Amino acid sequence: MEVFKLLEIEDLSVSIGGKRVLKGVNLSVGEGETHALFGPNGCGKTTLLNTIAGIPRYKVEGGRIVLKGVDITEKPMNERARLGLGIAFQHPPAIRGLKLRDLIKLCNPQANPERILKDMDLLSFADREVNRGFSGGEVKRSEMAQLLAQRPDMVMLDEPDSGVDLENIKLIGRAINRITDKEQKPSKRTRSGIIITHFGHVLDYMTTDKAHVMLEGTIVCTGSPKEILEQIKKSGYEGCAGCLCPV
Amino acid sequence: MPMSSIEERAKKARDKKARFGSDVDLEAFDVEARPHSEVGAVEDLPSEVKKAALNVGVSLDQKSGGTYIQMDQTPVMARSETEGIEILDIAAALQKYDGLKDYWWKQVMVDQDKYTADVAAHPPAGYFLRARAGASTVFPLKSCLYLGQTNLNQRVHNIIIAEEGSELHVITGCTTPSHVQKGLHIGVSEFYIKKGAHVSFTMIHSWGKEVEVRPRTSIHMEEGSSLSNNYICLSPAKTLQTNPSAYLNGPGAKASFNSVIYAAEGSLDLGSQVYLRAPGCSADSVARAVSVGGDITARGLMVGEVPDVKAHLECVGLILSEKGRIYSIPELDGRCGGLDMSHEAAVGKISEVELEYLMARGLSLEQATGVIVRGFLDVEIKGLPDSLKEELRKITQLQELHGGA
């Protein structure tokens, strides 16, 4: 059965400040699938996610981004979000005077901030200013809490496990499973995700269907997440560069 | 100081320009104020006064610890609802307490400038608030200075005394109704915060477009006393200049100044100066300014005169329009070793990263801007009772405040 493509990236090229960072990226994520994205620092992983999110300084030079059959390449960020796109940023900013509880309500007025924050072990942060004075792990959990309220159809997670202790990685993995419908039977899953991770610890607690390796702005390899991660651990990204497996 | 000497000094300073702010021609304003009759209860106040008071966050219908209302030059209501708290109109207090010899023009200099001199040269109107030793206000005292007569020179002289160990919370709204565009408001306020007393004083201003405003405030603080002084300016006057001084004279005194300023137009020059004169004293001053076209000068001066004092200044401004100006001047003057003073100042635009962050959650650019500006102005004010905190929050969240954002 053909899986409905929730997100399709076609031949995407992107530059930042005049410098070409993505060079013809092709990627598609089917409904109910979660993909992992590996690659060394600076290869373009964050650029890909931020471009899909629509941050204006990421300039699309060619190609297109299609979400749920709609071409969103030129759409403003908030329209993409309303169409069902969500993102957990790698380094989200702190916002003065905005309480975490109120931000959760802004993500979704119907959400129950207390319940979500309790699930993310952040209940005592409800009246704290968003990300102000939060530890690395707390910032990541706050991102998850916002996504649990927003409930996007397509979620992008930029290193949700960096700076998080082992205990909390479990919590984050469980939240990702919820956000990406992994708690449902495979046939019932409609939400999808892309996750960037360097160490893969979080992958022990969540389900991923596919993995991609990105090198110098292009996806060079696609396959089983466990297999690829083991290869990277064994021979590093140089090994990926030397491998001529077809995409 | 004998009355004659006050008059003499006032006369000499009649033309003395103020150090800051543009010079106001006092002759251009009317001296004769139309009299108003006293009212017995809040219910009897003209609805326009109640409405104007509400606009500056003073809800007169709600329970308060006491009320003072001045219309133009007439005190129409001065009443305390709290045991141990005295509220009088200042003329009555001068009579009752033999000229308030220890307090009258003892903190603010009569000849500081032409504005103080002008207040001293005319019959006094204003309030006298005193918390007796150990007394405290559960509900804030509410006062409203209402300038309802076009082109009037409204002169106010207030004395606030917190006796030993007392606690006083005051909220004052100064405002003009929408039909009065032109006028002058000069307000002299002298504070005496005695040993171990705590005062929170919250002033909310909302003026007509052609009103000139010159408050003159000075605060004496004794050992272990504390002050939370909050200033909120909702709609700008033509010009406004104020620079209250606090003198921390006793060990362990603590002063905290918070200002929230939003200017679509007009010229505002605001600051605070704190003199730390005894060991263990500390002070902080936070100014948040937003200009959508207005000209804002945000000053802050901390003077450390002895060792073992701590002071921090924060002046942060957002300019949200093409025009507009925020001139931030934080000053630290450490006059000996062993003290600790710091400041933080920033003027700029809304961070794009913050906007993008909220837009990624589905907010439009306008909504995201509004959320960030409201958050920016939502200064965490210490030393206020919860009821007043809630009231203040409502004021800074007022929709009209963010019309330009």
Side-chain angles (χ1 to χ4, degrees):
Chain A
M1 193 187 72
E2 179 77 11
V3 181
F4 173 65
K5 298 297 180 200
L6 201 75
L7 178 72
E8 285 179 279
I9 309 291
E10 295 169 7
D11 197 23
L12 187 70
S13 290
V14 173
S15 66
I16 313 168
K19 190 183 172 234
R20 184 69 61 98
V21 180
L22 297 186
K23 300 154 188 169
V25 173
N26 288 291
L27 175 73
S28 66
V29 181
E31 194 173 49
E33 291 177 0
T34 301
H35 293 197
L37 185 58
F38 302 121
N41 290 328
C43 74
K45 303 183 299 296
T46 295
T47 298
L48 177 62
L49 263 46
N50 287 351
T51 305
I52 298 170
I55 294 180
R57 66 179 171 281
Y58 295 82
K59 195 163 177 262
V60 176
E61 304 283 359
R64 57 184 209 138
I65 306 163
V66 180
L67 179 70
K68 296 174 19 185
V70 180
D71 186 339
I72 59 165
T73 320
E74 301 296 329
K75 287 199 185 301
M77 290 184 80
N78 55 318
E79 281 184 33
R80 297 178 199 215
R82 269 185 250 137
L83 199 62
L85 189 69
I87 183 165
F89 289 101
Q90 192 182 349
H91 300 296
I95 299 190
R96 233 190 263 266
L98 177 61
K99 289 180 179 159
L100 185 55
R101 176 203 306 278
D102 295 334
L103 179 55
I104 303 274
K105 290 296 266 187
L106 287 172
C107 290
N108 178 0
Q110 268 81 51
N112 178 340
E114 280 73 23
R115 209 173 58 206
I116 289 171
L117 290 172
K118 192 160 176 256
D119 286 350
M120 291 319 297
D121 199 18
L122 282 174
L123 196 55
S124 59
F125 287 67
D127 291 320
R128 292 264 301 263
E129 292 172 302
V130 176
N131 298 334
R132 267 204 124 189
F134 286 24
S135 71
E138 286 152 4
V139 165
K140 300 294 177 180
R141 280 186 278 142
S142 138
E143 292 295 283
M144 289 304 130
Q146 293 167 48
L147 290 172
L148 281 168
Q150 199 187 342
R151 298 298 276 138
D153 296 318
M154 173 74 217
V155 68
M156 304 185 289
L157 308 153
D158 196 347
E159 295 193 28
D161 53 345
S162 73
V164 181
D165 63 53
L166 283 174
E167 186 75 9
N168 281 306
I169 282 190
K170 214 187 285 182
L171 193 68
I172 284 186
R174 277 207 304 267
I176 295 173
N177 279 340
R178 266 174 69 194
I179 294 165
T180 54
D181 269 358
K182 290 298 190 277
E183 290 177 336
Q184 308 269 349
K185 282 188 220 157
S187 62
K188 299 274 181 203
R189 293 173 189 164
T190 59
R191 294 172 210 274
S192 312
I194 303 178
I195 175 170
I196 297 177
T197 173
H198 276 294
F199 304 105
H201 295 312
V202 70
L203 300 184
D204 296 339
Y205 303 101
M206 57 175 284
T207 314
T208 36
D209 304 285
K210 251 185 208 173
H212 310 272
V213 177
M214 184 179 254
L215 289 178
E216 293 176 12
T218 15
I219 286 171
V220 294
C221 184
T222 296
S224 129
K226 285 241 149 45
E227 227 176 292
I228 288 186
L229 193 61
E230 267 164 37
Q231 274 302 315
I232 296 168
K233 278 180 182 162
K234 211 169 84 186
S235 28
Y237 288 114
E238 294 91 351
C240 289
C243 163
L244 291 174
C245 68
V247 174
Chain B
M1 202 186 309
M3 281 297 175
S4 59
S5 141
I6 291 174
E7 275 162 30
E8 230 165 78
R9 285 172 64 194
K11 209 178 262 178
K12 277 187 193 155
R14 205 171 50 189
D15 299 314
K16 186 178 171 187
K17 287 183 183 171
R19 192 169 161 220
F20 300 125
S22 60
D23 191 47
V24 178
D25 176 13
L26 299 178
E27 306 295 319
F29 296 90
D30 301 332
V31 178
E32 281 308 311
R34 175 182 71 219
H36 300 275
S37 40
E38 207 175 301
V39 296
V42 165
E43 298 84 77
D44 303 330
L45 281 167
S47 63
E48 57 173 40
V49 175
K50 278 199 274 186
K51 207 176 131 206
L54 200 58
N55 273 337
V56 282
V58 182
S59 48
L60 295 172
D61 289 328
Q62 273 177 19
K63 188 150 177 55
S64 74
T67 314
Y68 174 84
I69 312 284
Q70 179 173 331
M71 292 173 69
D72 301 323
Q73 282 307 105
T74 314
V76 296
M77 195 174 167
R79 177 194 296 163
S80 169
E81 311 278 351
T82 311
E83 178 100 30
I85 306 288
E86 198 174 4
I87 303 180
L88 296 171
D89 83 70
I90 199 73
L94 283 166
Q95 219 161 31
K96 185 172 173 187
Y97 294 111
D98 193 22
L100 291 166
K101 281 194 195 91
D102 295 335
Y103 307 103
W104 191 245
W105 292 112
K106 290 293 184 200
Q107 263 311 112
V108 173
M109 299 297 109
V110 176
D111 49 8
Q112 179 183 323
D113 54 37
K114 66 202 262 187
Y115 310 107
T116 53
D118 190 55
V119 171
H122 292 86
Y127 55 71
F128 172 81
L129 298 183
R130 178 158 69 160
R132 291 191 194 285
S136 77
T137 45
V138 180
F139 297 99
L141 309 180
K142 293 178 174 177
S143 86
C144 181
L145 304 172
Y146 176 85
L147 173 52
Q149 182 180 326
T150 297
N151 207 40
L152 181 70
N153 176 354
Q154 182 180 46
R155 303 179 190 86
V156 181
H157 190 160
N158 304 317
I159 300 277
I160 296 107
I161 303 166
E163 299 286 359
E164 281 190 18
S166 66
E167 191 177 328
L168 194 55
H169 298 284
V170 185
I171 179 165
T172 295
C174 298
T175 184
T176 43
S178 50
H179 69 267
V180 173
Q181 292 299 330
K182 196 166 186 292
L184 169 65
H185 170 89
I186 310 174
V188 171
S189 298
E190 302 186 87
F191 286 73
Y192 299 86
I193 309 178
K194 299 193 183 172
K195 200 170 163 184
H198 171 67
V199 171
S200 86
F201 186 79
T202 301
M203 169 99 80
I204 300 134
H205 276 177
S206 176
W207 302 104
K209 283 180 185 170
E210 292 295 320
V211 179
E212 317 241 25
V213 186
R214 297 292 182 272
R216 296 291 178 256
T217 301
S218 183
I219 303 150
H220 160 82
M221 296 180 68
E222 295 181 4
E223 182 181 347
S225 65
S226 57
L227 164 75
S228 166
N229 187 89
N230 311 297
Y231 179 75
I232 295 166
C233 192
L234 291 176
S235 65
K238 181 182 178 192
T239 70
L240 185 153
Q241 189 271 315
T242 180
N243 198 20
S245 316
Y247 297 87
L248 280 56
N249 296 315
K254 279 189 172 73
S256 165
F257 284 83
N258 300 285
S259 317
V260 175
I261 310 141
Y262 182 92
E265 53 195 318
S267 167
L268 309 178
D269 185 328
L270 310 116
S272 61
Q273 38 191 348
V274 180
Y275 295 83
L276 300 107
R277 294 183 156 169
C281 285
S282 64
D284 58 84
S285 166
V286 177
R288 296 275 167 82
V290 173
S291 170
V292 285
D295 188 329
I296 301 170
T297 301
R299 298 174 197 279
L301 169 66
M302 294 282 180
V303 182
E305 300 187 0
V306 296
D308 190 26
V309 295
K310 235 181 143 149
H312 182 70
L313 267 176
E314 189 186 316
C315 297
V316 192
L318 284 179
I319 305 177
L320 299 182
S321 53
E322 256 177 62
K323 286 184 182 169
R325 181 187 187 207
I326 295 177
Y327 182 23
S328 175
I329 314 170
E331 288 182 283
L332 302 177
D333 184 355
R335 296 184 180 171
C336 60
L339 45 74
D340 178 4
M341 300 166 90
S342 59
H343 78 70
E344 182 188 339
V347 174
K349 57 179 182 173
I350 291 181
S351 142
E352 266 168 37
V353 175
E354 289 178 29
L355 285 174
E356 287 159 7
Y357 188 48
L358 296 178
M359 288 178 74
R361 304 293 182 241
L363 275 71
S364 68
L365 180 61
E366 293 71 31
Q367 288 170 324
T369 305
V371 166
I372 292 169
V373 172
R374 276 195 289 278
F376 178 79
L377 293 176
D378 189 13
V379 178
E380 187 62 45
I381 291 168
K382 290 162 241 150
L384 292 185
D386 286 342
S387 61
L388 200 48
K389 259 188 197 162
E390 194 42 47
E391 224 161 307
L392 268 191
R393 212 179 137 73
K394 272 187 222 149
I395 296 161
T396 53
Q397 306 296 300
L398 277 179
Q399 211 45 49
E400 64 187 282
L401 190 62
H402 309 292

